[in-house]
Amino acid sequence: MSSSRTSEQQMNYCKQLTKEEINSRLISVEKAADLEDLFKTLANETRLRILHALSISGELCVNDLSALLEMKTQAVSNQLQKLALYKVVSTRRSGVNIFYRITDPCVELLLERGVCMLESTNDPLAADTNTAETVKAAQIGDE
Amino acid sequence: MSSSRTSEQQMNYCKQLTKEEINSRLISVEKAADLEDLFKTLANETRLRILHALSISGELCVNDLSALLEMKTQAVSNQLQKLALYKVVSTRRSGVNIFYRITDPCVELLLERGVCMLESTNDPLAADTNTAETVKAAQIGDE
DNA sequence: ACACTATTACACGGATTAATGTACAATGTC
DNA sequence: GACATTGTACATTAATCCGTGTAATAGTGT
């Protein structure tokens, strides 16, 4: 019993994969750290709302964002500085206004995916297959 | 100048959307909070690695996970408790072993998306279109 | 009953984060 | 130059988070 409990070769894997096989597919510590950063960008309500507004409008300045989101400019600017530091957004000045737009495609894509999932409350997977269904319907239309 | 600066009707929107139009599409505070929670689940390296191992293997116990990830059982168990509390994973006991498996489809889907993006380092968007290309190629093969 | 193993509970310390308010910098108008 | 507006820098505070080590619990075998 004790030998079977501690022996790695006898671990219970549902898909009958060995530790080596899982390990070969498992994300590395370095990549996990990168992925953590990516998700962390979106793991904040203020940043989510900012990025969503930018994805809708394309480009907005601090003042407009704070008015839209009904938040203090300092709070908005604080988060925008982080997003700019991590190259998620780019900036351009126009007089006293500084405009921000999303430049990181991964962040924008995950944001869209997440928003779609929330809108498909009962069947989150349906939101993800909507694109494939649309493509298929278009191809049927062509025939 | 001061009137043009402060007037909301004259805000500079690149896509020429009015504040009202952006607002009607903008994610609500409540939904942003839900989405924040979803991304927060994945915004931690330990949880990412745990969930990735579970997605590969289907089901694993604490001991196996800590061996695979080369982490202490307490650290692994600590995160698994959180994941179970938020209904991201389910548990089943088998003797002294407790097995965990992913039950939240949104989390698993976002995880897969994120991992794919990292693997497609130069063209993250290509990772997202790979599915559509595969479907299209299969349909061409059928013809 | 006892020994062993797997897992969780609990408390702690250190690190990180985000909003806030004040001060400062940049820009535009008169 | 004075003034107003926009936006950032800076410092502070409170809250959150996570790994760690010890203690406790559950399950199994002898």
Side-chain angles (χ1 to χ4, degrees):
Chain A
M1 181 60 184
S2 66
S3 66
S4 78
R5 275 204 193 162
T6 59
S7 170
E8 293 179 356
Q9 305 308 327
Q10 298 182 1
M11 286 202 268
N12 299 307
Y13 296 114
C14 275
K15 293 186 180 174
Q16 308 303 334
L17 298 183
T18 65
K19 177 186 174 184
E20 285 73 31
E21 281 171 346
I22 302 178
N23 244 324
S24 69
R25 301 191 199 177
L26 195 54
I27 188 172
S28 68
V29 174
E30 292 77 25
K31 288 203 171 172
D34 289 340
L35 199 50
E36 176 190 35
D37 288 341
L38 181 56
F39 284 118
K40 247 193 181 105
T41 297
L42 294 162
N44 169 268
E45 186 179 318
T46 300
R47 287 200 293 278
L48 273 176
R49 296 178 69 215
I50 287 171
L51 290 167
H52 195 223
L54 289 182
S55 75
I56 292 171
S57 174
E59 189 180 58
L60 288 165
C61 62
V62 182
N63 220 21
D64 291 344
L65 276 166
S66 69
L68 263 174
L69 306 180
E70 294 177 353
M71 294 182 64
K72 290 200 200 305
T73 59
Q74 295 98 315
V76 170
S77 174
N78 200 23
Q79 295 303 330
L80 284 169
Q81 297 312 300
K82 279 180 180 278
L83 293 173
L85 178 65
Y86 299 131
K87 304 207 165 43
V88 175
V89 296
S90 64
T91 64
R92 92 177 155 86
R93 179 182 278 276
S94 177
V96 297
N97 296 105
I98 304 187
F99 288 90
Y100 292 80
R101 82 171 43 248
I102 300 178
T103 52
D104 186 327
C106 297
V107 168
E108 190 160 25
L109 198 57
L110 281 182
L111 171 66
E112 287 170 5
R113 283 284 179 263
V115 172
C116 282
M117 284 179 189
L118 276 196
E119 286 171 354
S120 311
T121 309
N122 291 331
D123 189 6
L125 288 181
D128 200 57
T129 57
N130 280 353
T131 308
E133 299 295 340
T134 307
V135 171
K136 194 183 283 187
Q139 287 169 340
I140 293 176
D142 288 347
E143 298 173 359
Chain B
M1 181 62 184
S2 67
S3 65
S4 77
R5 277 207 188 159
T6 58
S7 170
E8 293 179 355
Q9 306 307 325
Q10 297 180 3
M11 287 203 268
N12 298 307
Y13 296 114
C14 276
K15 293 185 180 174
Q16 309 303 332
L17 299 183
T18 66
K19 177 185 173 183
E20 285 73 32
E21 282 171 347
I22 301 179
N23 245 326
S24 69
R25 302 190 198 176
L26 194 56
I27 188 171
S28 68
V29 174
E30 292 77 28
K31 287 202 168 171
D34 289 341
L35 200 50
E36 175 189 35
D37 288 341
L38 181 56
F39 284 120
K40 248 193 178 104
T41 298
L42 293 161
N44 169 270
E45 187 181 315
T46 300
R47 288 200 291 276
L48 272 176
R49 297 179 68 215
I50 287 172
L51 290 166
H52 195 223
L54 289 181
S55 74
I56 291 170
S57 174
E59 189 180 59
L60 288 164
C61 61
V62 183
N63 219 21
D64 291 343
L65 276 165
S66 70
L68 263 175
L69 306 181
E70 294 177 355
M71 294 182 65
K72 291 197 199 308
T73 59
Q74 298 98 312
V76 169
S77 174
N78 201 20
Q79 294 303 331
L80 285 168
Q81 296 314 301
K82 278 179 182 279
L83 292 174
L85 179 65
Y86 299 129
K87 303 203 165 45
V88 176
V89 296
S90 63
T91 63
R92 93 178 155 84
R93 180 183 274 276
S94 176
V96 299
N97 296 104
I98 305 188
F99 288 90
Y100 291 81
R101 82 170 42 246
I102 299 178
T103 52
D104 186 328
C106 297
V107 168
E108 189 161 23
L109 197 58
L110 281 181
L111 171 66
E112 288 170 5
R113 284 284 179 260
V115 172
C116 283
M117 284 179 190
L118 276 196
E119 287 171 352
S120 311
T121 309
N122 291 330
D123 189 5
L125 288 182
D128 201 56
T129 57
N130 279 352
T131 308
E133 299 293 342
T134 308
V135 171
K136 193 184 283 187
Q139 286 169 342
I140 293 176
D142 288 346
E143 298 172 359

